[in-house]
């Protein structure tokens, strides 16, 4: 009976609270193609967020696996956690942790701890533009067993445009110069 009462409070009481408004988005995908070759790809992802007063919590992850002619040629995954603190209507700071693996890209395990700030450049009803600057500490275990410890800077921008309730466009880009090894950097979009 005591367990039932605890379960009741865990399930029912949060529904009476005005905040937080938890959001959840998940995807499950499977693609199979046959013809000159036989290929399968499987994808699983989740993105979650919850406001908590002046704070905003985001967490999620993904797993992707793929095979060509019954030989695995894709396997990558990540788990991420991010806590944002609103400083003003346009400025926020954040702390994030990302762990990931991608053995076909040459690393078994990578952990990135990030501290930075963001600025909401444009905040319209249809369009938004945000920019972020941060520092990351990255620990990486490569294939073969090589361990790397690096400090990176991160410059990031994201543009969103909402055409309608059901159609939108998003484009992001980031540049991560390696402050430990100046010849090494990441550029992603």
């Amino acid at each position: 009976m005591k367990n039932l009462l605890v379960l009741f409070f865990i399930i029912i009481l949060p529904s009476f609270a005005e905040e937080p408004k938890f959001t959840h988005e998940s995807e499950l995908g499977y693609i199979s193609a046959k013809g000159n070759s036989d290929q399968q790809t499987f994808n699983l992802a989740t993105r979650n967020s919850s406001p908590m007063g002046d704070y905003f919590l985001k967490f999620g992850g993904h797993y992707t696996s793929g095979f060509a002619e019954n030989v695995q040629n894709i396997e990558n995954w990540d788990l991420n956690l991010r806590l944002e603190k609103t400083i003003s209507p346009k400025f926020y700071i954040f702390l994030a942790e990302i762990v990931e693996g991608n053995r076909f890209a040459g690393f078994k395990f990578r952990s990135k701890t990030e501290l930075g700030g963001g600025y909401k450049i444009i905040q319209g009803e249809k369009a938004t533009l945000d920019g972020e600057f941060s520092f990351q500490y990255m620990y990486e275990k490569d294939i073969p067993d090589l361990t790397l410890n690096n400090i990176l800077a991160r410059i990031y921008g994201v543009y969103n445009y909402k055409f309608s309730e059901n159609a939108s466009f998003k484009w992001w880009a980031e540049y991560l110069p390696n402050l430990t090894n100046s010849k090494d950097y990441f550029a992603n979009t």
Side-chain angles (χ1 to χ4, degrees):
M1 180 67 180
K2 193 186 304 182
N3 291 340
L4 188 59
L5 189 60
V6 169
L7 184 61
F8 171 81
F9 283 112
I10 290 173
I11 294 171
I12 299 300
L13 282 183
S15 66
F16 292 110
E18 292 178 28
E19 275 194 85
K21 293 196 169 89
F22 178 78
T23 61
H24 169 79
E25 182 180 318
S26 289
E27 63 185 63
L28 174 65
Y30 177 76
I31 298 172
S32 179
K34 296 184 186 261
N36 292 338
S37 65
D38 186 11
Q39 298 180 344
Q40 298 87 33
T41 304
F42 171 77
N43 186 56
L44 176 66
T46 184
R47 289 169 290 284
N48 307 281
S49 62
S50 179
M52 301 179 305
D54 288 344
Y55 291 90
F56 199 76
L57 179 67
K58 297 178 182 180
F59 59 96
H62 94 279
Y63 177 77
T64 302
S65 179
F67 293 84
E69 302 299 332
N70 294 322
V71 176
Q72 188 173 25
N73 61 354
I74 300 170
E75 184 179 47
N76 61 68
W77 60 271
D78 80 71
L79 296 170
N80 56 73
L81 177 66
R82 178 174 165 136
L83 181 66
E84 295 180 1
K85 164 82 168 122
T86 302
I87 303 300
S88 74
K90 288 197 167 260
F91 183 69
Y92 57 94
I93 57 175
F94 63 89
L95 177 64
E97 180 68 27
I98 302 166
V99 292
E100 59 186 341
N102 189 340
R103 64 187 177 110
F104 292 102
F107 65 93
K108 293 179 191 175
F109 175 83
R110 181 186 291 160
S111 171
K112 296 186 278 189
T113 303
E114 183 175 16
L115 177 64
Y119 187 75
K120 298 174 185 286
I121 301 164
I122 298 172
Q123 288 301 128
E125 285 187 31
K126 290 191 172 262
T128 63
L129 176 64
D130 294 355
E132 292 182 354
F133 180 78
S134 61
F135 289 100
Q136 289 183 352
Y137 168 74
M138 183 176 73
Y139 169 83
E140 187 174 296
K141 188 81 167 168
D142 286 345
I143 301 171
D145 292 323
L146 175 66
T147 301
L148 300 171
N149 293 288
N150 292 302
I151 303 292
L152 298 109
R154 179 174 172 261
I155 302 164
Y156 170 83
V158 60
Y159 175 76
N160 290 288
Y161 186 83
K162 191 172 183 178
F163 297 103
S164 69
E165 190 63 34
N166 298 319
S168 63
F169 169 80
K170 179 178 184 176
W171 183 77
W172 63 269
E174 68 180 349
Y175 175 64
L176 295 100
N178 189 327
L179 304 178
T180 308
N181 177 2
S182 62
K183 295 179 182 177
D184 194 12
Y185 65 91
F186 295 91
N188 302 310
T189 187

